[in-house]
Amino acid sequence: ILMLSLALGTMITITSNHWVTAWAGLEINTLAIIPLISKSHHPRAIEAATKYFLTQATASALMLFSSMTNAWSSGQWDITQLTNPPSCLLLTAAIAIKLGLTPFHFWFPEVLQGSSLTTALLLSTAMKFPPTTILLLTSHSLNPTLLSTMAIMSIALGGWMGLNQTQTRKILAFSSISHLGWMTIIITYNPKLTLLTFYLYSLMTTSIFLSMNSTNTLKLSTLMTSWTKAPMLNTTLMLTLLSLAGLPPLTGFLPKWLIIQELTKQEMTTTATIISMLSLLGLFFYLRLTYCSTITLPPNSSNKMKQWSIKKPVNTLTPTL
Amino acid sequence: FSWSSLGLAFHRTHLISSLLCLESIILSIYIALSIWPIKNQTSATLMQILILAFSACEASAGLAILIASTQTHVSDHLRNLNLLQC
């Protein structure tokens, strides 16, 4: 039932041309995910649910308020027509809170940490989809400098704060923050690239989450002994992680390359060099993850096959994309 | 509206106060939205009912989370929410 309402909320937001329907879809999504986050009665999960609820509810209220001020000044409730500059600013802030862009990213790692792996997957891929569609619909009237500064800061912060983490869910949270930065940096120039980045990013993240779910690795130390459980899965995990980092022969390089090309076409070469330097920071912890998972051997190599789970076939296909 | 959003941003202890501020934000939006059609002689009542319904759902979900968090954590204070540390 909860999955159905999630899908319903996403559909409502995507197919909306009136602000109230978009807001309604977003609220349905928020309401449907809250019980999913707090299903296990662990105090950490419930704390994550409270943080998530508070941030998302404020963002929805802000969005409603910005659409209201826009309707006051222009008399229209259409999504594609935003004429009032302060309401555009408020709307950008609201969507940034919902997505987890800097400077409003503070809720994201903790919420991902407190939820189980499958709900974390849902949170970081499916829940990002309606706000990105709203961004896409309104991108021609938003402030480009604000968006690009937020995007650069989020790439920087996503790479920087991920350096000292040992919990894999937090690492994935920071990687998603930096990927969101890549997505928003191109949104005013070529929205199709944003969609492409989003699709590829969600594919790669789902495969990583599912493989981590089947081997049940929550910390870096668990990752090191996961090669005993399913060796094929481990190698594909390594490849997927490297693809997420954006190394050339793998698929993850494609959106980065196209984005840099588009930015240089628009004469923003300093921005392009800055973001490619900052993605080096992210590369460090992706490399550390792959190093821990495949290249090192633990001290006592015990070949016990611990868990036989059924979720394997998805992952061997998706990294070879 | 801006007063309640400032109150939400600066809540110090007690999660209940942040929920209250959220409700007052939505209430102020609702009042403003119902005054506007009267001034312009248009009617937007379906929108109002929808907004009311959804904000009521949000408030009840917030209250449920509050109850759950007081069951697992000891009290309502915001200082107890530090289990998810780096």
Side-chain angles (χ1 to χ4, degrees):
Chain A
I1 304 180
L2 286 171
M3 292 295 181
L4 255 174
S5 52
L6 258 182
L8 180 72
T10 320
M11 282 300 137
I12 288 178
T13 317
I14 293 175
T15 64
S16 67
N17 47 9
H18 192 277
W19 275 118
V20 180
T21 51
W23 178 78
L26 283 169
E27 299 258 295
I28 291 177
N29 266 344
T30 320
L31 283 175
I33 280 207
I34 294 280
L36 274 178
I37 296 181
S38 53
K39 217 197 282 189
S40 73
H41 293 280
H42 198 274
R44 233 189 264 154
I46 302 197
E47 177 188 330
T50 50
K51 285 186 181 158
Y52 186 70
F53 170 72
L54 275 177
T55 52
Q56 296 276 321
T58 50
S60 315
L62 261 181
M63 204 179 293
L64 196 62
F65 182 64
S66 71
S67 61
M68 193 176 69
T69 48
N70 186 39
W72 270 350
S73 68
S74 66
Q76 307 203 17
W77 284 86
D78 212 11
I79 282 193
T80 53
Q81 314 201 9
L82 281 176
T83 53
N84 199 10
S87 64
C88 288
L89 197 70
L90 272 180
L91 182 72
T92 333
I95 294 185
I97 296 177
K98 274 212 177 280
L99 283 178
L101 286 176
T102 334
F104 303 115
H105 67 284
F106 296 104
W107 56 275
F108 196 51
E110 304 177 357
V111 170
L112 265 193
Q113 177 70 30
S115 46
S116 60
L117 276 171
T118 42
T119 31
L121 165 70
L122 261 182
L123 263 180
S124 56
T125 54
M127 284 297 294
K128 307 270 184 232
F129 194 44
T132 42
T133 52
I134 296 182
L135 249 190
L136 280 172
L137 285 173
T138 64
S139 62
H140 56 270
S141 51
L142 294 173
N143 200 0
T145 48
L146 178 69
L147 276 175
S148 36
T149 44
M150 279 204 302
I152 294 177
M153 275 201 302
S154 51
I155 297 176
L157 262 169
W160 207 348
M161 281 170 36
L163 287 177
N164 201 11
Q165 306 294 330
T166 52
Q167 308 271 342
T168 44
R169 286 174 286 185
K170 280 218 174 113
I171 289 180
L172 282 170
F174 291 120
S175 85
S176 86
I177 293 175
S178 51
H179 276 268
L180 273 173
W182 278 94
M183 277 185 240
T184 51
I185 214 167
I186 202 64
I187 203 166
T188 48
Y189 303 117
N190 194 4
K192 291 183 195 164
L193 278 181
T194 316
L195 268 179
L196 177 75
T197 356
F198 184 74
Y199 292 145
L200 284 176
Y201 161 70
S202 51
L203 266 178
M204 295 187 286
T205 331
T206 43
S207 61
I208 286 190
F209 265 112
L210 286 174
S211 46
M212 287 207 308
N213 206 9
S214 51
T215 54
N216 213 10
T217 61
L218 298 175
K219 300 186 279 197
L220 267 185
S221 46
T222 333
L223 199 58
M224 284 201 213
T225 59
S226 62
W227 65 277
T228 57
K229 294 171 191 163
M232 189 60 207
L233 189 61
N234 226 352
T235 49
T236 52
L237 177 64
M238 173 177 93
L239 281 177
T240 324
L241 272 173
L242 287 177
S243 155
L244 196 55
L247 286 182
L250 300 165
T251 332
F253 182 61
L254 180 70
K256 292 200 167 123
W257 184 23
L258 288 174
I259 287 176
I260 291 179
Q261 193 179 15
E262 192 66 35
L263 279 179
T264 48
K265 258 195 246 170
Q266 305 276 340
E267 309 277 325
M268 287 181 65
T269 45
T270 51
T271 326
T273 45
I274 288 175
I275 51 180
S276 43
M277 294 288 188
L278 288 173
S279 62
L280 276 179
L281 284 172
L283 187 68
F284 171 68
F285 61 79
Y286 290 127
L287 275 178
R288 188 167 70 173
L289 276 176
T290 55
Y291 182 70
C292 291
S293 62
T294 52
I295 307 184
T296 59
L297 289 175
N300 46 349
S301 62
S302 59
N303 249 330
K304 47 176 185 172
M305 307 291 267
K306 219 167 106 182
Q307 288 173 0
W308 284 95
S309 76
I310 328 170
K311 297 178 192 162
K312 272 186 275 181
V314 185
N315 308 312
T316 53
L317 283 179
T318 46
T320 58
L321 255 181
Chain B
F1 165 78
S2 35
W3 202 254
S4 355
S5 56
L6 272 178
L8 182 62
F10 293 120
H11 57 276
R12 279 179 295 161
T13 58
H14 290 291
L15 262 163
I16 305 178
S17 61
S18 57
L19 284 177
L20 211 87
C21 289
L22 204 70
E23 276 314 296
S24 54
I25 285 176
I26 299 203
L27 190 68
S28 60
I29 291 177
Y30 176 70
I31 292 176
L33 269 173
S34 30
I35 288 178
W36 177 57
I38 298 177
K39 269 172 54 177
N40 287 357
Q41 271 92 28
T42 56
S43 74
T45 46
L46 176 66
M47 207 170 12
Q48 292 302 100
I49 294 175
L50 207 66
I51 290 180
L52 254 188
F54 273 113
S55 59
C57 290
E58 284 286 322
S60 54
L63 278 173
I65 286 181
L66 184 77
I67 294 173
S69 66
T70 38
Q71 268 182 352
T72 53
H73 303 257
V74 179
S75 77
D76 193 16
H77 292 263
L78 281 176
R79 294 185 205 166
N80 288 344
L81 297 177
N82 53 0
L83 294 175
L84 302 169
Q85 299 212 342
C86 300

